[in-house]
Amino acid sequence: MTRIDAKFAELTANSKKAFVAYVMAGDPDYDTSLEVVKGLPAAGVDVIELGLPFTDPMADGPTIQLAGQRALDSGVTLERTLQLATEFRKDDDTTPIVLMGYYNPIYSRGVERFLQDAKAAGIDGLIVVDLPPEEDDELCIPAQQAGLNFIRLATPTTDDKRLPKVLQNTSGFVYYVSITGITGAAEAEAVDVAPEVARIKSQTELPVIVGFGIKTPETSRAIASVADGAVVGSAIVAKIGDGEPVDDVLAFVKSLADGAHST
């Protein structure tokens, strides 16, 4: 059982919804990023999504693209991202960390070496948005054999024919993308999300967490009420990008987490 599995078992036992927060590793610099990440559990975050900086983040909108650029400019690489996770683990051995990014940096490092290093750094799961199920032998299956969850995205365009393929080797949870388009664009609507979550849950026992388009505590609550939890990324990253003090960023995160947990 991974930390992700254990966390969702605990939440289910307590009839609680999950709140997942995304931040870009190394944004705006390594030290500030580590301070934010270390503060997330106390702000109510159940699962941390740690963005892996990459030069061509095709699924991401301007907010997260700029965060990735700031991180790259400050010298944060895959190596430094894993160091950040290692530093976090010195004080927290329970909060799950999902590394979210693109395949190129992993491929460059070599899959076997990457999986060993990620496991040693305390990474629990992977979201690699540009590896479809047809490429499961490339990373998904080796990751699961190494004890890491491989989390897949389902979207409004994932029809009933495609969904079983998407779910086939997914573990940890299913990430439902609430809108068509890039991160940080439109606003998620619970009325649209609810039937899609029900459709996915009819085909899997895994928790279904909803992300993209959640920017306020009210939306976090509304989305969590029709799913197993909510993910917020761009709204948090925007505050970091604006140079807000870490305490203010974490206070905002807590308001979002309180929203998701109030259902």
Side-chain angles (χ1 to χ4, degrees), residues 155-196:
T155 75
T157 59
T158 307
D159 61 20
D160 289 339
K161 183 179 179 183
R162 181 66 174 169
L163 186 58
K165 187 77 174 173
V166 169
L167 296 174
Q168 186 172 285
N169 291 314
T170 299
S171 65
F173 59 90
V174 179
Y175 187 135
Y176 178 67
V177 176
S178 65
I179 57 172
T180 53
I182 53 175
T183 58
E187 183 123 354
E189 297 287 348
V191 67
D192 299 324
V193 167
E196 291 298 303

Coordinates of all heavy atoms in Angstrom, one line a residue, residues 155-196:
T155 N -10.9 13.0 -19.2 CA -11.3 14.3 -19.6 C -12.8 14.3 -20.1 O -13.3 13.2 -20.3 CB -10.4 14.9 -20.7 OG1 -10.8 14.2 -21.9 CG2 -9.0 14.7 -20.4
P156 N -13.4 15.4 -20.3 CA -14.7 15.4 -20.9 C -14.8 14.7 -22.2 O -15.9 14.3 -22.7 CB -15.1 16.9 -21.0 CG -14.2 17.6 -20.0 CD -13.0 16.8 -19.9
T157 N -13.7 14.6 -22.9 CA -13.7 13.9 -24.2 C -13.3 12.4 -24.1 O -13.2 11.7 -25.2 CB -12.7 14.6 -25.2 OG1 -11.4 14.6 -24.7 CG2 -13.1 16.0 -25.4
T158 N -13.1 11.9 -22.9 CA -12.8 10.5 -22.7 C -14.2 9.7 -22.8 O -14.9 9.7 -21.8 CB -12.1 10.2 -21.4 OG1 -11.0 11.0 -21.3 CG2 -11.7 8.7 -21.3
D159 N -14.5 9.2 -23.9 CA -15.9 8.6 -24.1 C -15.9 7.1 -23.5 O -14.9 6.6 -23.0 CB -16.3 8.6 -25.5 CG -15.4 7.8 -26.5 OD1 -14.6 7.0 -26.0 OD2 -15.4 8.1 -27.7
D160 N -17.0 6.5 -23.5 CA -17.2 5.2 -22.9 C -16.3 4.1 -23.6 O -16.0 3.1 -23.0 CB -18.7 4.8 -23.0 CG -19.5 5.6 -22.0 OD1 -19.0 6.1 -21.1 OD2 -20.7 5.7 -22.2
K161 N -16.0 4.3 -24.8 CA -15.1 3.4 -25.5 C -13.7 3.5 -25.0 O -13.0 2.5 -24.9 CB -15.2 3.6 -27.0 CG -14.4 2.6 -27.9 CD -14.5 2.9 -29.3 CE -13.7 1.9 -30.2 NZ -13.7 2.2 -31.6
R162 N -13.3 4.7 -24.8 CA -11.9 5.0 -24.4 C -11.6 4.8 -22.9 O -10.5 4.4 -22.5 CB -11.5 6.5 -24.8 CG -10.1 6.9 -24.4 CD -9.1 6.1 -25.2 NE -7.7 6.7 -25.0 CZ -6.6 6.0 -25.5 NH1 -6.7 4.9 -26.1 NH2 -5.4 6.5 -25.2
L163 N -12.6 5.0 -22.1 CA -12.5 5.1 -20.6 C -11.8 3.8 -20.1 O -10.9 3.9 -19.2 CB -13.8 5.4 -19.9 CG -13.7 5.5 -18.4 CD1 -12.8 6.7 -18.0 CD2 -15.2 5.8 -17.9
P164 N -12.3 2.6 -20.5 CA -11.7 1.4 -19.9 C -10.2 1.3 -20.2 O -9.4 0.8 -19.3 CB -12.4 0.2 -20.6 CG -13.7 0.8 -21.0 CD -13.4 2.2 -21.4
K165 N -9.7 1.8 -21.3 CA -8.3 1.8 -21.7 C -7.6 2.7 -20.7 O -6.5 2.4 -20.2 CB -8.1 2.2 -23.1 CG -6.7 2.1 -23.6 CD -6.4 0.7 -24.0 CE -5.0 0.6 -24.6 NZ -4.6 -0.8 -24.8
V166 N -8.2 3.9 -20.5 CA -7.5 4.9 -19.6 C -7.4 4.3 -18.2 O -6.4 4.5 -17.5 CB -8.4 6.2 -19.6 CG1 -7.9 7.1 -18.5 CG2 -8.2 6.9 -20.9
L167 N -8.4 3.5 -17.7 CA -8.5 3.0 -16.4 C -7.6 1.8 -16.2 O -7.3 1.4 -15.0 CB -9.9 2.7 -16.0 CG -10.9 3.9 -15.9 CD1 -12.3 3.4 -15.6 CD2 -10.4 4.9 -14.8
Q168 N -7.2 1.2 -17.3 CA -6.7 -0.2 -17.2 C -5.5 -0.4 -16.2 O -5.5 -1.3 -15.4 CB -6.2 -0.5 -18.6 CG -5.7 -2.0 -18.8 CD -5.4 -2.2 -20.3 OE1 -6.3 -2.4 -21.1 NE2 -4.1 -2.2 -20.6
N169 N -4.5 0.5 -16.3 CA -3.4 0.3 -15.4 C -3.2 1.5 -14.4 O -2.2 1.7 -13.9 CB -2.1 0.2 -16.2 CG -2.0 -1.2 -16.9 OD1 -2.3 -2.2 -16.3 ND2 -1.7 -1.1 -18.2
T170 N -4.3 2.3 -14.3 CA -4.3 3.4 -13.3 C -4.4 2.9 -11.9 O -5.0 1.9 -11.6 CB -5.5 4.3 -13.6 OG1 -5.4 4.8 -15.0 CG2 -5.5 5.5 -12.7
S171 N -3.7 3.6 -11.0 CA -3.7 3.3 -9.6 C -3.6 4.5 -8.8 O -3.3 5.6 -9.3 CB -2.6 2.3 -9.2 OG -1.4 2.9 -9.3
G172 N -3.9 4.5 -7.5 CA -3.9 5.6 -6.6 C -5.2 6.4 -6.6 O -6.0 6.3 -5.7
F173 N -5.4 7.1 -7.7 CA -6.7 7.8 -8.0 C -6.8 8.1 -9.4 O -5.8 8.0 -10.2 CB -6.9 9.0 -7.1 CG -5.9 10.1 -7.2 CD1 -6.1 11.1 -8.2 CD2 -4.8 10.1 -6.4 CE1 -5.1 12.2 -8.3 CE2 -3.8 11.2 -6.6 CZ -4.0 12.2 -7.5
V174 N -8.0 8.5 -9.9 CA -8.2 9.0 -11.2 C -8.3 10.5 -11.1 O -9.1 11.0 -10.3 CB -9.5 8.4 -11.9 CG1 -9.7 8.9 -13.3 CG2 -9.4 6.8 -11.9
Y175 N -7.6 11.2 -12.0 CA -7.7 12.6 -12.0 C -8.6 13.0 -13.2 O -8.3 12.8 -14.4 CB -6.3 13.2 -12.3 CG -6.1 14.7 -12.2 CD1 -5.0 15.2 -11.5 CD2 -6.9 15.6 -12.8 CE1 -4.8 16.6 -11.4 CE2 -6.7 16.9 -12.7 CZ -5.6 17.4 -12.0 OH -5.4 18.8 -12.0
Y176 N -9.8 13.6 -12.8 CA -10.7 14.0 -13.9 C -10.5 15.5 -14.2 O -10.6 16.3 -13.3 CB -12.2 13.8 -13.5 CG -13.2 14.3 -14.5 CD1 -13.2 13.6 -15.8 CD2 -14.0 15.4 -14.3 CE1 -14.1 14.1 -16.8 CE2 -14.8 15.8 -15.3 CZ -14.8 15.2 -16.5 OH -15.7 15.7 -17.5
V177 N -10.2 15.8 -15.4 CA -10.0 17.2 -15.9 C -11.4 17.7 -16.2 O -12.1 17.3 -17.1 CB -9.1 17.2 -17.1 CG1 -9.0 18.6 -17.7 CG2 -7.7 16.6 -16.8
S178 N -11.8 18.7 -15.4 CA -13.2 19.2 -15.5 C -13.6 20.0 -16.7 O -14.8 20.2 -17.0 CB -13.5 20.0 -14.2 OG -12.7 21.2 -14.3
I179 N -12.6 20.5 -17.4 CA -12.9 21.3 -18.6 C -12.0 20.8 -19.8 O -11.0 20.1 -19.6 CB -12.5 22.8 -18.3 CG1 -11.0 22.9 -17.9 CG2 -13.4 23.4 -17.2 CD1 -10.5 24.3 -17.8
T180 N -12.5 21.2 -21.0 CA -11.6 21.0 -22.2 C -10.7 22.2 -22.3 O -11.2 23.3 -22.2 CB -12.5 20.8 -23.4 OG1 -13.4 21.9 -23.5 CG2 -13.3 19.5 -23.4
G181 N -9.4 22.0 -22.4 CA -8.5 23.1 -22.6 C -7.4 23.0 -21.6 O -7.1 21.9 -21.0
I182 N -6.7 24.1 -21.4 CA -5.5 24.1 -20.6 C -5.8 24.5 -19.1 O -6.9 24.9 -18.8 CB -4.5 25.1 -21.1 CG1 -5.2 26.5 -21.3 CG2 -3.9 24.7 -22.5 CD1 -4.3 27.6 -21.7
T183 N -4.8 24.3 -18.2 CA -5.0 24.6 -16.8 C -5.2 26.1 -16.7 O -4.7 26.9 -17.5 CB -3.7 24.3 -16.0 OG1 -2.6 24.9 -16.6 CG2 -3.4 22.8 -16.1
G184 N -6.0 26.5 -15.7 CA -6.2 27.9 -15.3 C -7.1 28.6 -16.3 O -7.1 29.9 -16.3
A185 N -7.9 27.9 -17.1 CA -8.7 28.6 -18.1 C -10.1 28.8 -17.5 O -10.3 29.7 -16.6 CB -8.7 27.8 -19.4
A186 N -11.1 28.0 -18.0 CA -12.5 28.2 -17.5 C -12.7 27.8 -16.1 O -11.8 27.1 -15.5 CB -13.4 27.4 -18.5
E187 N -13.9 28.0 -15.6 CA -14.2 27.7 -14.2 C -15.0 26.3 -14.2 O -15.9 26.1 -15.0 CB -15.1 28.7 -13.6 CG -15.4 28.5 -12.1 CD -15.0 29.6 -11.2 OE1 -14.3 30.5 -11.6 OE2 -15.3 29.5 -10.0
A188 N -14.6 25.4 -13.3 CA -15.3 24.2 -13.2 C -16.7 24.4 -12.6 O -16.9 25.2 -11.8 CB -14.5 23.2 -12.3
E189 N -17.6 23.6 -13.2 CA -19.0 23.6 -12.7 C -19.4 22.3 -12.2 O -19.4 21.3 -12.9 CB -19.9 24.1 -13.9 CG -19.7 25.4 -14.4 CD -20.1 26.6 -13.5 OE1 -20.9 26.3 -12.5 OE2 -19.8 27.7 -13.7
A190 N -19.9 22.2 -10.9 CA -20.2 21.0 -10.3 C -21.4 20.2 -11.1 O -21.4 19.0 -11.2 CB -20.7 21.2 -8.9
V191 N -22.3 21.0 -11.6 CA -23.4 20.4 -12.4 C -22.9 19.6 -13.6 O -23.5 18.6 -14.0 CB -24.5 21.5 -12.7 CG1 -23.9 22.5 -13.8 CG2 -25.7 20.9 -13.2
D192 N -21.8 20.1 -14.2 CA -21.3 19.4 -15.3 C -20.4 18.2 -14.9 O -20.3 17.2 -15.6 CB -20.4 20.4 -16.2 CG -21.2 21.5 -16.7 OD1 -22.4 21.3 -17.1 OD2 -20.7 22.6 -16.8
V193 N -19.7 18.4 -13.8 CA -18.8 17.4 -13.3 C -19.4 16.2 -12.7 O -19.0 15.0 -13.0 CB -17.8 18.0 -12.3 CG1 -17.0 17.0 -11.5 CG2 -16.9 19.1 -12.9
A194 N -20.5 16.4 -12.0 CA -21.2 15.3 -11.3 C -21.5 14.0 -12.2 O -21.1 12.9 -11.8 CB -22.5 15.8 -10.6
P195 N -22.2 14.2 -13.3 CA -22.5 13.0 -14.1 C -21.2 12.3 -14.7 O -21.2 11.1 -14.8 CB -23.3 13.5 -15.2 CG -23.2 15.0 -15.3 CD -22.8 15.4 -13.9
E196 N -20.2 13.1 -14.9 CA -18.9 12.5 -15.5 C -18.2 11.7 -14.4 O -17.7 10.6 -14.6 CB -18.0 13.6 -16.0 CG -18.5 14.3 -17.2 CD -18.6 13.3 -18.4 OE1 -17.6 12.7 -18.7 OE2 -19.7 13.1 -18.9

